[in-house]
Amino acid sequence: MDFEQLKTFLHVCRLKSFSRAAEKLGVTQPAISAQIRSLEKEVGARLFDRDGGKVTFTAAGRLFEPFAEHCLQCHSHIVMAVNELYRSARGEVSVSASEATSLYILPPVFAEYKKQYARVNLSIVRAEHLRSIEMVVNREVDFAIVSTPLKDPRLVVQSIHRDEIVLTVSPAHPLAARGTIKVDEMLQFPVLLLKQGRQRTLLNNFFESFDAQPRIAMEVDSSELLKRLIAAGLGMGFLPRANVQDDLHGGLLKVVKVEGMRINRELALIFRKDRTLTHAAHAFLELATNSAEQLYPSPRAAKAAR
């Protein structure tokens, strides 16, 4: 049973004629008869009585008519709803991101998006790097924001945010009053590090380039926990500048520059190449990529603006 059969059935019902239904639908009368026979076989009963040129309902046909009407109405509503979904920004957009990205990167872009597309429901799924990629690949979410580099032929990777990893200390730390220090001076103090991830890899590479062995006081799983431990005076640590910007303004943390240290990080918005994006998803992609510099100005641009 298909929608064309139901449409043919209803035309015969309304016109009470196979030939007029064929003319209306632009097909031959044998084609109409074949569709009705196929439908009757599927239903398991005759739907029309044919007496010469006159066509009337059987009891089964009269019972079947409102169900056919309902099915075609549902079909029409589904088609309209799907078309509307791709014509205007509505529905839902889902994004997977790490805890820190959810806290410090997504709020500005979500706020701007909601101003423009208030009818779209935005959802954040908090997950770490590998799980976020997996969710995009498995079509569990529309987008993910992850660190780069990332090479996967199944994915589109659009850069949306760049900043630097900085050495962060509490205001009471012995290095807090120093503007710039040497690597050897930094190595004299205990450091708190993330256990794993792209940021830890970058820091490991930095230490190896100086043939340095940091005094690791603690390793943690969460960048937010790392920041709180630094503020509590348990040691110094490395965090993206975006993560500590408010704390710097509030006097809760200090950034100390290390000679020879320039570690940049880049975040990208990723999605499947073969995913059909709704209008709402297209709008989110455009805003997140085209407005990245306005929403997340680089340190140099932000300094120039001040």
Side-chain angles (χ1 to χ4, degrees):
M1 189 183 302
D2 59 39
F3 290 111
E4 287 303 315
Q5 291 174 339
L6 297 179
K7 187 186 297 184
T8 297
F9 169 80
L10 289 176
H11 271 81
V12 174
C13 290
R14 291 162 186 161
L15 298 173
K16 295 181 173 54
S17 167
F18 279 59
S19 59
R20 287 200 296 270
E23 183 179 349
K24 182 74 173 179
L25 293 172
V27 297
T28 64
Q29 183 171 332
I32 295 290
S33 298
Q35 285 199 6
I36 295 300
R37 283 196 302 270
S38 178
L39 185 59
E40 289 175 332
K41 183 178 180 181
E42 182 76 19
V43 173
R46 289 186 63 188
L47 300 173
F48 296 106
D49 281 328
R50 305 161 183 81
D51 184 8
K54 187 177 180 182
V55 177
T56 58
F57 279 131
T58 63
R62 192 172 302 281
L63 180 66
F64 187 73
E65 182 187 20
F67 290 100
E69 285 275 11
H70 178 69
C71 286
L72 285 177
Q73 286 176 2
C74 288
H75 176 263
S76 176
H77 291 161
I78 290 170
V79 171
M80 289 177 60
V82 171
N83 288 338
E84 181 68 15
L85 185 65
Y86 289 92
R87 283 199 302 266
S88 62
R90 62 179 63 193
E92 180 174 334
V93 173
S94 55
V95 183
S96 179
S98 69
E99 177 188 42
T101 300
S102 300
L103 290 172
Y104 303 110
I105 305 302
L106 281 178
V109 71
F110 267 32
E112 181 64 25
Y113 184 82
K114 287 295 285 185
K115 286 180 185 178
Q116 299 183 33
Y117 306 101
R119 293 185 296 179
V120 179
N121 179 37
L122 291 166
S123 64
I124 303 176
V125 180
R126 291 207 275 185
E128 292 310 311
H129 182 87
L130 292 178
R131 176 58 182 149
S132 290
I133 296 173
E134 180 183 307
M135 294 181 76
V136 170
V137 170
N138 293 340
R139 305 179 190 274
E140 298 175 53
V141 295
D142 298 304
F143 303 103
I145 297 179
V146 297
S147 58
T148 61
L150 173 63
K151 292 184 179 180
D152 188 317
R154 297 168 295 181
L155 302 175
V156 175
V157 180
Q158 295 274 6
S159 177
I160 67 163
H161 175 83
R162 297 180 184 88
D163 66 0
E164 60 180 331
I165 306 297
V166 293
L167 176 63
T168 309
V169 300
S170 73
H173 194 279
L175 296 177
R178 302 282 301 278
T180 303
I181 63 172
K182 297 181 182 299
V183 173
D184 289 343
E185 294 178 274
M186 177 184 66
L187 296 176
Q188 297 174 20
F189 297 91
V191 63
L192 311 174
L193 295 174
L194 292 173
K195 286 183 179 179
Q196 57 187 357
R198 175 64 180 164
Q199 182 176 313
R200 178 61 184 270
T201 301
L202 292 172
L203 288 170
N204 287 345
N205 293 340
F206 167 73
F207 287 124
E208 288 175 7
S209 70
F210 282 87
D211 195 22
Q213 294 294 328
R215 293 170 52 190
I216 301 177
M218 188 182 302
E219 294 178 304
V220 298
D221 293 317
S222 162
S223 60
E224 189 64 14
L225 174 59
L226 175 61
K227 184 173 73 169
R228 292 181 180 274
L229 293 176
I230 295 169
L234 271 71
M236 60 185 183
F238 300 89
L239 287 166
R241 186 175 287 276
N243 294 24
V244 299
Q245 205 63 46
D246 291 341
D247 302 277
L248 298 178
H249 291 317
L252 300 176
L253 293 172
K254 297 283 186 179
V255 167
V256 180
K257 185 176 179 180
V258 181
E259 288 185 5
M261 177 179 168
R262 185 67 176 176
I263 304 177
N264 294 314
R265 69 151 184 176
E266 181 172 317
L267 299 179
L269 186 75
I270 65 170
F271 60 97
R272 284 190 64 111
K273 287 181 179 178
D274 60 356
R275 186 178 186 92
T276 301
L277 297 179
T278 65
H279 186 81
H282 269 297
F284 182 83
L285 174 63
E286 182 177 357
L287 187 146
T289 54
N290 294 347
S291 302
E293 185 59 29
Q294 286 74 24
L295 292 168
Y296 314 117
S298 64
R300 181 179 298 177
K303 185 176 181 180
R306 291 195 295 268

